[in-house]
């Protein structure tokens, strides 16, 4: 409840508490002022006795409410008794002087707050309307048929007006109850929603941790497989060549195997450097993906002597770090495979921005191979295709391979276009 609502409720409570006193005071003043000199003493005594009884009734009702702590004025049978006695006093006073109809009008104010039951409340309003209409018709008792007719018309008018007001009040109270229930339901829904959001945040954090752990595990497996297929195999070959050198007396043969061992050592060193480079793509530290790919392709072409070209199509956008790193590593892996296996004379790399996805194409005119006959892993480092495919799938992408012996190879990686945050 707002501060304004509290103030309105407090003012209504003050009006219901002190209103009957005020209406009774107005009636007394007007009744005394209008009394003629021929008013009998008995009538005066009776009027003052009824007035003091009315004041005592109000004081009793006020103290009763305070003892019960009934600040909301809940209907009760005690309230009904108070309403009936007050109506009887007002009716008798109005019989003495029509101006006490002001006091009788107090019944319009609190029938719904003192009498339980809608129909009993309507009956109380009708009784108050009878008293007020009698006073408006000229005072009781009536001395002519005209007064009775006027009384009937006024009773209908007063009753109809009060019933309409009571009906509208009931509807407003019903809407207030519905609003209260709706607000309570919204509060419960908001509480449940906040709990769901908190649980979702905790779940999201947990999923992020699990995804990070899964990514770390995938990267460890990739590095382990790559080290096994490149560096470890190279070291094994070096050991084998050195064993031949140690066991042969032929110096020419020893030099030949020593040269092979040195070539394997250089190749293993290059693989080690490539693995470290893949672990931390420094090419992306200062450049975007297109610039990094352009430099990578150009350096590879200079190192291998193969004609290498890089092309960008579409509107260039700054990609998320993980997407850019994944595409860069796929290109590095593809170029490494082309240098080791393809014997190509020309390589083309194309990066295409297509609105909601990025496509990376790597083509060469090398020896090619049969993708269906290629094992998942080989002693010559055949882990590369599986590694590139795993990288693409890790960011919800895909990798397709088209190759045929003697007709070159084409790789195409499709990944979602996730912009830099």
């Amino acid at each position: 409840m707002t501060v304004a609502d509290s103030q309105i409720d407090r003012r209504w409570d003050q009006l219901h508490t002190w209103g009957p006193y005020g209406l009774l005071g107005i009636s007394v003043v007007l009744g005394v002022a209008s009394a003629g000199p021929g008013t009998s003493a008995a009538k005066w005594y009776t009027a003052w006795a009824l007035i003091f009884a009315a004041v005592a009734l109000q004081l009793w009702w006020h103290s009763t409410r305070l003892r019960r702590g009934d600040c909301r004025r809940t209907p009760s049978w005690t309230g009904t008794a108070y309403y009936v006695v007050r109506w009887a006093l007002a009716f008798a006073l109005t019989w003495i002087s029509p101006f006490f109809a002001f006091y009788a009008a107090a019944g319009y104010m609190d029938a719904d707050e003192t009498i339980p039951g809608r129909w009993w409340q309507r009956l109380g309003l009708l009784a108050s309307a009878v008293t007020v209409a009698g006073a408006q018709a000229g005072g009781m008792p009536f001395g002519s048929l005209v007064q009775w007719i006027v009384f009937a018309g006024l009773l209908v008018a007063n009753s109809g007006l009060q019933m309409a007001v009571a009906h509208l009040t009931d509807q407003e109270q019903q809407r207030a109850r519905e609003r209260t229930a709706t607000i309570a339901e919204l509060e419960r829904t908001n509480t449940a929603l906040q709990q769901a959001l908190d649980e979702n945040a905790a779940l999201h954090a947990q999923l992020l941790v699990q995804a990070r752990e899964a990514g770390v595990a995938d990267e460890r497996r990739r590095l382990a497989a790559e080290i096994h297929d490149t560096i470890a195999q190279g070291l094994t070959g070096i050991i084998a060549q050195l064993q031949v050198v140690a066991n042969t007396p032929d110096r020419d043969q020893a030099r030949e195997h020593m040269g092979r061992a040195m070539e394997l050592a250089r190749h293993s060193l290059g693989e080690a450097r490539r693995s470290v480079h893949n672990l931390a793509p420094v090419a992306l530290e200062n450049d975007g993906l297109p610039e990094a790919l352009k430099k990578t392709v150009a350096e590879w072409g200079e190192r291998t002597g193969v004609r290498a070209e890089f092309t960008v199509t579409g509107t260039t956008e700054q990609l998320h770090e993980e997407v850019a790193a994944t595409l860069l590593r796929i290109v590095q892996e593809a170029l490494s495979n082309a240098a080791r296996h393809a014997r190509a004379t020309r390589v083309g790399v194309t990066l295409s921005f297509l609105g909601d996805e990025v496509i990376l194409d790597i083509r060469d005119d090398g020896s090619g191979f049969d993708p269906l006959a290629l094992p998942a892993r080989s002693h010559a480092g055949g882990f590369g295709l599986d590694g590139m495919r795993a990288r693409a799938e890790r960011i919800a992408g895909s990798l397709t391979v088209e190759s045929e012996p003697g007709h070159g190879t084409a790789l195409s990686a499709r990944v979602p276009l996730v912009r830099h945050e």
Side-chain angles (χ1 to χ4, degrees):
M1 181 180 294
T2 63
V3 176
D5 292 336
S6 300
Q7 291 177 348
I8 292 173
D9 286 344
R10 185 170 63 255
R11 289 170 182 172
W12 272 111
D13 186 67
Q14 291 174 349
L15 176 62
H16 289 165
T17 299
W18 303 108
Y21 290 103
L23 293 174
L24 180 60
I26 293 173
S27 300
V28 170
V29 172
L30 294 176
V32 171
S34 62
T39 304
S40 64
K43 198 171 184 178
W44 279 105
Y45 291 145
T46 302
W48 283 112
L50 293 174
I51 292 170
F52 285 128
V55 173
L57 177 65
Q58 294 301 141
L59 293 173
W60 168 82
W61 177 238
H62 192 188
S63 62
T64 300
R65 286 188 59 245
L66 291 177
R67 287 196 305 270
R68 293 191 307 172
D70 187 13
C71 296
R72 301 300 299 174
R73 291 182 169 266
T74 304
S76 64
W77 293 113
T78 303
T80 303
Y82 158 73
Y83 189 92
V84 170
V85 174
R86 187 184 64 187
W87 173 84
L89 292 173
F91 184 84
L93 286 168
T94 305
W95 193 283
I96 297 173
S97 174
F99 287 105
F100 281 94
F102 286 101
Y103 181 53
Y108 293 157
M109 297 170 49
D110 55 6
D112 59 331
E113 297 182 350
T114 54
I115 304 174
R118 179 176 299 179
W119 292 108
W120 290 108
Q121 293 172 6
R122 299 293 187 269
L123 184 59
L125 290 173
L126 178 61
S128 296
V130 168
T131 305
V132 174
Q136 292 172 340
M140 297 176 283
F142 303 139
S144 65
L145 179 60
V146 175
Q147 279 189 302
W148 280 103
I149 295 174
V150 173
F151 166 74
L154 291 171
L155 178 61
V156 171
N158 280 276
S159 299
L161 180 61
Q162 292 306 315
M163 295 302 175
V165 171
H167 178 69
L168 294 177
T169 301
D170 288 342
Q171 288 186 332
E172 181 61 29
Q173 290 176 349
Q174 179 63 27
R175 285 194 292 268
R177 288 191 292 268
E178 292 175 354
R179 285 195 296 269
T180 302
T182 301
I183 293 172
E185 182 63 26
L186 288 175
E187 290 177 349
R188 289 192 295 269
T189 302
N190 288 337
T191 301
L193 179 60
Q194 185 61 45
Q195 292 176 352
L197 290 175
D198 294 340
E199 293 175 359
N200 184 58
L203 179 61
H204 181 67
Q206 182 179 358
L207 290 176
L208 286 178
V209 172
Q210 292 177 352
R212 183 181 296 275
E213 293 176 351
V216 171
D218 289 344
E219 191 67 10
R220 286 176 177 173
R221 285 192 293 268
R222 186 195 70 78
L223 288 175
E226 188 168 342
I227 290 172
H228 177 270
D229 288 344
T230 56
I231 300 174
Q233 292 290 346
L235 292 176
T236 301
I238 292 172
I239 293 173
Q241 297 297 327
L242 292 178
Q243 286 177 343
V244 173
V245 171
N247 295 327
T248 181
D250 189 343
R251 295 181 62 86
D252 293 335
Q253 187 178 10
R255 281 196 296 272
E256 179 182 353
H257 287 285
M258 181 63 71
R260 293 178 181 176
M262 293 178 65
E263 182 63 26
L264 285 173
R266 293 190 186 96
H267 179 73
S268 298
L269 178 61
E271 290 295 325
R273 288 172 176 171
R274 186 180 64 83
S275 297
V276 172
H277 184 71
N278 287 344
L279 185 62
V282 295
L284 293 173
E285 288 185 354
N286 300 316
D287 298 320
L289 179 62
E291 294 79 6
L293 289 180
K294 182 178 181 180
K295 292 180 181 179
T296 299
V297 172
E299 292 173 357
W300 181 86
E302 292 176 359
R303 185 170 64 252
T304 60
V306 177
R307 180 182 174 183
E309 298 177 350
F310 173 69
T311 306
V312 179
T313 64
T315 304
T316 302
E317 297 194 44
Q318 189 72 15
L319 298 176
H320 189 277
E321 293 86 350
E322 185 65 23
V323 175
T326 297
L327 294 177
L328 176 61
R329 288 169 178 172
I330 289 176
V331 168
Q332 291 171 339
E333 187 73 23
L335 294 177
S336 176
N337 289 343
R340 286 185 294 169
H341 308 298
R343 297 188 297 276
T345 60
R346 183 175 179 180
V347 173
V349 178
T350 303
L351 180 66
S352 302
F353 292 87
L354 300 179
D356 58 350
E357 66 177 357
V358 182
I359 300 179
L360 178 66
D361 295 307
I362 305 106
R363 304 170 305 280
D364 67 61
D365 61 353
S367 58
F369 60 92
D370 183 2
L372 299 178
L374 187 68
R377 300 183 61 182
S378 70
H379 295 294
F383 186 79
L385 284 178
D386 290 338
M388 286 187 284
R389 182 172 288 107
R391 287 183 186 279
E393 292 176 351
R394 192 156 50 237
I395 59 172
S398 62
L399 179 75
T400 57
V401 181
E402 295 181 1
S403 184
E404 185 178 347
H407 294 83
T409 301
L411 302 179
S412 180
R414 285 175 171 265
V415 300
L417 195 157
V418 182
R419 294 172 177 80
H420 179 72
E421 297 179 352

